[in-house]
Amino acid sequence: MQTQTPAEAHRFGYVALLGRPNVGKSTLLNRLVGQKLSIVSNRPQTTRSAVRGIVTRADAQAVIVDTPGFQTQHRSALNRAMNRSVTQSLAGTDAVLFVLEAPKLTAEDCRVLELLPAGVPVVAAVNKIDRLADKGQLLPLMETLAAAHAFAEIVPVSAERDLGVEELLTALVKHLPEGEQLYAPDEITDASERFLAAELIREKLFRLLGEELPYASSVAIESFRDEPGLKRIHAVIYVEKASQKAIVIGRGGEKLKDVATRARLEMERLFGTKVFLEVWVKVRGGWRDDERWLRSHGLEGEG
């Protein structure tokens, strides 16, 4: 944490976290906030809705919006909804944090660069530098980046190893407008607990089922009740086919039990209280192409 001198003005602003799928945006947001907010897996399309993390320090407060990875192939209503979430997050933003993966700028990265709003400072985070055997590869990449866009700053980082993250935050803060903080110092997100609970269940599905269950699952919270010392949560996992339901449940219900147990333990850490979690699995064919259903389940806004 940095201390604020009398000559420094406090800064406040909104930062859009932008990049192609699977470059580590969610891991970076969690590292900047200092706590897990955005779900993480090694598969693209993990983040489907914008998630806002609040970073507060003595001289500034930044609201960082983790957007879904921009989908270059619009194959479903879900992909279109995710792309709308990206473009909506860019509207009215004070700065952009563009994330790419070392060691090169890809064609997909360049298509994402085309989305950058004019007149907004953009800081580039070159992520996953810990995976480079030869750090000399960074220099030509930095030169390529500088030629591709007029970045305000370019900062090499490893979100996973917490390398360069504090330097990245300092670079971002410099480009935020002057303003008083909007959120209390201990607030780390404006996302609802219902949203976070659903996201944690979905993350466990991705992590535990891997390629067995492609992007055919979604999670809805049917009820969320606060009781003394307890949160009572009832959730539904939606899949598109009966065969996928069998995969999620597993033999003797073991897969579903494992998903629910891991999600519940993480919810207890995040919410700071005991959680009773009950999870059901239902078949809802074609949900990825049903825009009304997507809206009703928070895939076009909440987060």
Side-chain angles (χ1 to χ4, degrees), residues 30 43 83 93 105 115 137 176 186 210 228 262 282:
N30 293 338
R43 302 175 67 193
N83 284 353
T93 193
L105 181 71
L115 301 173
Q137 293 176 284
L176 296 182
D186 59 348
R262 295 186 186 214
K282 295 182 180 180

Side-chain angles (χ1 to χ4, degrees), residues 7-148:
E8 291 179 330
H10 190 277
R11 296 181 180 273
F12 173 86
Y14 292 87
V15 179
L17 192 54
L18 189 65
R20 63 178 170 83
N22 218 29
V23 293
K25 298 186 301 298
S26 297
T27 302
L28 183 55
L29 174 70
N30 293 338
R31 187 67 74 178
L32 286 165
V33 172
Q35 187 168 331
K36 182 173 179 178
L37 287 180
S38 198
I39 67 172
V40 177
S41 83
N42 59 3
R43 302 175 67 193
Q45 289 194 11
T46 303
T47 300
R48 290 178 181 166
S49 300
V51 179
R52 287 176 284 275
I54 303 165
V55 183
T56 303
R57 60 187 216 175
D59 60 339
Q61 187 175 76
V63 181
I64 302 175
V65 187
D66 181 15
T67 62
F70 192 81
Q71 308 298 310
T72 56
Q73 296 182 356
H74 298 234
R75 294 181 177 176
S76 68
L78 176 61
N79 275 7
R80 292 193 297 272
M82 291 163 69
N83 284 353
R84 280 196 294 272
S85 180
V86 174
T87 54
Q88 288 166 5
S89 296
L90 288 170
T93 193
D94 297 298
V96 174
L97 176 53
F98 172 71
V99 186
L100 71 154
E101 181 179 344
K104 65 179 181 178
L105 181 71
T106 69
E108 276 189 281
D109 293 323
C110 291
R111 285 195 285 273
V112 175
L113 283 177
E114 295 172 3
L115 301 173
L116 294 175
V120 175
V122 182
V123 174
V126 181
N127 196 21
K128 305 185 183 182
I129 60 170
D130 56 301
R131 302 184 185 184
L132 292 179
D134 178 13
K135 296 300 188 289
Q137 293 176 284
L138 281 173
L139 183 58
L141 174 56
M142 305 275 268
E143 292 173 347
T144 299
L145 278 172

